[in-house]
Amino acid sequence: DTEVTQTPKHLVMGMTNKKSLKCEQHMGHRAMYWYKQKAKKPPELMFVYSYEKLSINESVPSRFSPECPNSSLLNLHLHALQPEDSALYLCASSQASGGARETQYFGPGTRLLVL
Amino acid sequence: AQSVSQHNHHVILSEAASLELGCNYSYGGTVNLFWYVQYPGQHLQLLLKYFSGDPLVKGIKGFEAEFIKSKFSFNLRKPSVQWSDTAEYFCAVHTSGGYNKLIFGAGTRLAVHP
């Protein structure tokens, strides 16, 4: 099973709302990632967790707050977002530490619209 | 900084035509190379990858890619495309050592007409 699941599929939120995106994998992977993909653009890395510890933060604004409660779950907490944060948010996982020779498996994404 | 260039942003082909999508990267060290595909409404899927060894790698669905180190290139090819190959194709590079992240090219949108 090479599946990464993400919920919800779609999310509409106001700029004062607080919401969370969820990601789950049951492949035993120990590295998990959040990417942001704007329309007609490539995915851009936001965060990497390795063995449930945050290892990379790509200078993401604090209105995005990641959380890795256990090795199978990854959350992205959203608060006070801006309309320009509207995008497809992708979760991915890979086998171990997020090293260069690991294949990342992507979920279907959550399409977020900020009004 | 490392970068990945995909020169063809949009490609339109008829079924049975041959496909070659260009990918060039800028990094002088050891690289690990990937091609991902994103079908309409679907998630990113791995087509093929190159880490070391034979520079000609074969992937799923009849795709192959060739790593040419001297040209910093990793072009994707398919001898005969099908309508179902309509998708967006992303080349990605992960460098060993240094900056530990997967860097994607801008993508090539392929449309195959019956």
Side-chain angles (χ1 to χ4, degrees), chain A residues 53-68:
Chain A
K53 288 185 169 31
L54 184 65
S55 61
I56 295 179
N57 176 342
E58 286 286 294
S59 302
V60 179
S62 60
R63 57 186 184 267
F64 295 91
S65 175
E67 178 196 20
C68 189

Side-chain angles (χ1 to χ4, degrees), chain A residues 47-110:
Chain A
F47 302 104
V48 181
Y49 272 83
S50 176
Y51 293 91
E52 294 133 64
K53 288 185 169 31
L54 184 65
S55 61
I56 295 179
N57 176 342
E58 286 286 294
S59 302
V60 179
S62 60
R63 57 186 184 267
F64 295 91
S65 175
E67 178 196 20
C68 189
N70 60 56
S71 60
S72 300
L73 292 174
L74 186 66
N75 298 322
L76 186 62
H77 303 298
L78 314 173
H79 174 55
L81 294 194
Q82 303 297 310
E84 59 265 28
D85 297 321
S86 299
L88 181 67
Y89 288 84
L90 297 170
C91 175
S93 70
S94 68
Q95 191 168 5
S97 60
R101 290 198 165 197
E102 294 178 17
T103 298
Q104 294 183 26
Y105 295 89
F106 286 81
T110 293

